[in-house]
Amino acid sequence: MQKLRNGAFLFLFLCGLGAFALQSPQGGQQPQGGGRGPMSPADQVKELTDKLALTDDQQAKVKTILEDTRTQMQKLRGDDSLSQEDKMAKSRALREASNGKIRDLLTDDQKKNSISLNRRDEIA
């Protein structure tokens, strides 16, 4: 049951964090013409707050974690010494570490709500 709960929670965050792992390097420019780029850490915090009712303290901590992860992801994308496979593996490890840190901040009720959100997302 705990593995299912962990897996479901990771899925929620992978959806949000995965967007900037797939973004091609464009010198930090946002897409033009209304295209959808990766969610900013602030947008991710807002979405999580709306879904899980994060406290102000949780919001601040989550934002710090997401900003740090984003910075590490950007450095990783710019590292030409790594193969694409190595970049993907390191990117996955960064997301999993970030998700674990965020999960540790949540209350038991928030963790339960994150699972029910994932179940609805999987059905849709």
Side-chain angles (χ1 to χ4, degrees), residues 7-48:
F9 185 78
L10 286 175
F11 176 77
L12 173 70
F13 285 101
L14 290 176
C15 290
L17 295 175
F20 55 90
L22 297 174
Q23 178 187 11
S24 62
Q26 298 177 353
Q29 297 176 353
Q30 292 296 322
Q32 298 293 325
R36 291 189 61 179
M39 288 179 67
S40 71
D43 289 339
Q44 289 174 311
V45 170
K46 183 180 180 332
E47 183 174 319
L48 290 172

Side-chain angles (χ1 to χ4, degrees), residues 102-117:
I102 293 170
R103 181 170 174 64
D104 290 343
L105 297 174
L106 299 180
T107 66
D108 290 338
D109 285 339
Q110 288 170 325
K111 290 174 186 175
K112 289 176 188 174
N113 288 337
S114 70
I115 291 170
S116 65
L117 290 171

Side-chain angles (χ1 to χ4, degrees), residues 58-71:
Q58 287 174 316
Q59 289 176 47
K61 290 176 181 177
V62 168
K63 185 175 181 184
T64 300
I65 292 167
L66 293 173
E67 287 172 342
D68 182 53
T69 301
R70 184 180 187 119
T71 299

Side-chain angles (χ1 to χ4, degrees), residues 47-117:
E47 183 174 319
L48 290 172
T49 299
D50 292 345
K51 291 180 179 179
L52 302 175
L54 298 179
T55 65
D56 291 342
D57 184 52
Q58 287 174 316
Q59 289 176 47
K61 290 176 181 177
V62 168
K63 185 175 181 184
T64 300
I65 292 167
L66 293 173
E67 287 172 342
D68 182 53
T69 301
R70 184 180 187 119
T71 299
Q72 291 179 51
M73 289 283 198
Q74 289 172 338
K75 288 179 184 176
L76 181 61
R77 279 195 305 272
D79 187 348
D80 294 333
S81 68
L82 296 173
S83 69
Q84 189 65 27
E85 293 80 19
D86 288 341
K87 286 182 182 182
M88 288 174 58
K90 288 187 181 222
S91 175
R92 188 177 312 111
L94 282 171
R95 285 191 311 273
E96 289 173 2
S98 175
N99 292 343
K101 290 176 189 175
I102 293 170
R103 181 170 174 64
D104 290 343
L105 297 174
L106 299 180
T107 66
D108 290 338
D109 285 339
Q110 288 170 325
K111 290 174 186 175
K112 289 176 188 174
N113 288 337
S114 70
I115 291 170
S116 65
L117 290 171

